[in-house]
Amino acid sequence: MESLPTLRRYRRHLRATGRWLVRSVRPGGGSAAYYSPLAGWSRPYPETTGYLIPTLLRLGCEYPEDGGEDAALRAGRWLLEIQRPEGAWSGGLHPPRGGGRPSVFNTGQVLDGMLALYRHTGDPRWLQAAARGAGWLAAGMGADGLWAGGDYRAAGTPSYYAHVLWPMLEVWKETGDERLLGAARRGLDAVVARRAPNGVIRGWSFREGKPAVTHVIAYTLRGIQECARLLDAWDELGPAVAPALERLVRRSELAGGRLPGAFDDEWRAHGGYVCLTGNAQLALCILLWEEHEPDLRLVSAAARLVDAVCDTQRTGGPAGLRGGVAGSSPPWGGYMRLRYPNWAAKYLCDALLRLEERVRAEL
């Protein structure tokens, strides 16, 4: 298993990444979507500002002096200010051009932050905001478990919207609103029905018929896994993700953790780059799987994926780059070319924290 020097390395990367994530939260409260060496910090991004709040709160516990808790609270207050009257949040960067449109996926991700702040502070306004957003999501879902509008780049509901169903169930757990349970179950049934014999879940790409980056593959798998946890249905839903995860573990073993950035529906690699966000997310998915099927091989596979991300990261240098995680390796690759997205940093922090816990359990 991993050595104490490796754990010290993980701590060093966690501290650097966490500080970068805190710096991404702008004075107004929203987290910049990315840092560009050419253009600096972007406009804030409501979607990822929402789901990085739980990470900021955890970082605030690990390193109180770094300002994670304050950054999380500022981000939350900003999200409350920009919540739409119907309960949704708009898609894209803020302020949205042309007034913006309510977004299914972005709203789902903001729920995660609202719930984290409610659980952290006990202040009911966070839960009320989450309940309004989840209610809007449930009202817009059809009887077939799909949404008719509010999609990003796709004509129909993509399979990675499993990552919306998970936060809806979290709100159900807090409020007991059975509408949310019914809607999430319908959506989950629709996504799981798309699983192909080779483990691919059809429709998990940004664009129909195009290769899926590992970022959205992980969204899909993690969404199903977390729904299984909340519904106490691992025996039912675990088999829906296991074949895909096993294939990805094997690819990681062969490539030393440097997974191809995208795959088509026949598991053919595309792109010639590594999607670093996807690497970190898939490490989390593998560790969640390993909780139910203990196997140090899976822990090792997750570690390889995380190590491959850390190997690309600068822990020194200019503030905008120090601790950031590029979209791709090499940085000019096909995902978030020459940019350092806040969600890549968020998922690396999450993966480092979970991996460290698992490794320490073996020492």
Side-chain angles (χ1 to χ4, degrees):
M1 276 306 298
E2 304 294 331
S3 64
L4 286 173
T6 296
L7 289 175
R8 287 195 289 270
R9 181 194 186 215
Y10 288 166
R11 276 277 138 174
R12 185 172 69 252
H13 282 278
L14 175 66
R15 191 77 182 273
T17 312
R19 287 173 166 172
W20 185 96
L21 205 58
V22 170
R23 290 196 297 275
S24 81
V25 180
R26 313 316 294 153
S31 173
Y34 55 83
Y35 178 81
S36 164
L38 299 177
W41 294 102
S42 76
R43 289 182 290 145
Y45 195 12
E47 174 202 324
T48 56
T49 297
Y51 70 31
L52 64 80
I53 287 173
T55 304
L56 288 168
L57 290 172
R58 177 71 186 275
L59 290 167
C61 294
E62 298 285 332
Y63 305 109
E65 65 274 22
D66 288 352
E69 181 182 31
D70 177 69
L73 290 165
R74 285 191 289 118
R77 289 192 292 268
W78 177 76
L79 288 166
L80 286 183
E81 291 171 3
I82 66 171
Q83 188 173 19
R84 298 171 64 98
E86 68 271 32
W89 279 269
S90 297
L93 305 188
H94 189 83
R97 293 187 172 89
R101 295 187 305 117
S103 167
V104 169
F105 192 79
N106 292 23
T107 297
Q109 308 322 296
V110 175
L111 299 185
D112 202 24
M114 297 294 101
L115 288 170
L117 286 167
Y118 170 67
R119 291 163 178 162
H120 183 71
T121 67
D123 188 333
R125 63 179 172 156
W126 307 115
L127 182 58
Q128 290 162 4
R132 289 177 57 220
W136 177 79
L137 289 169
M141 179 187 281
D144 57 0
L146 306 176
W147 282 278
D151 297 333
Y152 171 68
R153 294 187 178 180
T157 301
S159 295
Y160 67 83
Y161 276 34
H163 216 266
V164 176
L165 306 174
W166 158 27
M168 290 175 70
L169 286 174
E170 293 278 15
V171 179
W172 161 67
K173 284 285 189 180
E174 294 289 351
T175 65
D177 187 343
E178 293 295 317
R179 294 177 307 153
L180 304 180
L181 173 60
R185 285 281 355 186
R186 294 198 308 276
L188 194 56
D189 289 344
V191 170
V192 172
R194 294 174 172 176
R195 185 166 68 94
N198 66 355
V200 162
I201 298 179
R202 297 188 182 94
W204 60 10
S205 176
F206 279 128
R207 291 190 174 94
E208 294 176 45
K210 299 294 184 180
V213 294
T214 53
H215 171 47
V216 289
I217 291 174
Y219 268 158
T220 309
L221 300 175
R222 177 82 180 277
I224 295 170
Q225 288 178 304
E226 296 290 359
C227 287
R229 171 180 61 84
L230 290 160
L231 295 169
D232 193 22
W234 188 264
D235 289 345
E236 172 194 349
L237 296 171
V241 301
L245 285 172
E246 178 59 37
R247 190 176 288 264
L248 290 162
V249 164
R250 290 179 182 175
R251 292 296 293 256
S252 173
E253 289 173 333
L254 291 171
R258 292 184 57 83
L259 278 176
F263 293 92
D264 64 20
D265 282 357
E266 301 302 323
W267 290 110
R268 290 184 291 254
H270 288 259
Y273 65 93
V274 177
C275 173
L276 297 173
T277 310
N279 254 43
Q281 289 174 271
L282 287 169
L284 286 163
C285 292
I286 291 165
L287 291 170
L288 283 171
W289 183 28
E290 200 266 344
E291 288 181 9
H292 296 273
E293 299 185 25
D295 185 343
L296 292 181
R297 169 178 164 259
L298 299 180
V299 180
S300 177
R304 285 194 183 95
L305 291 169
V306 170
D307 288 343
V309 180
C310 291
D311 286 346
T312 72
Q313 188 184 39
R314 296 170 62 175
T315 56
L321 298 176
R322 185 173 65 249
V325 180
S328 298
S329 178
W332 53 87
Y335 183 72
M336 294 296 293
R337 182 174 286 114
L338 298 176
R339 286 170 287 177
Y340 292 73
N342 65 6
W343 55 97
K346 175 257 186 331
Y347 283 116
L348 179 58
C349 285
D350 291 349
L352 285 166
L353 286 163
R354 189 176 287 266
L355 181 59
E356 181 185 17
E357 289 175 355
R358 183 63 186 86
V359 170
R360 286 192 183 280
E362 294 297 322
L363 296 179

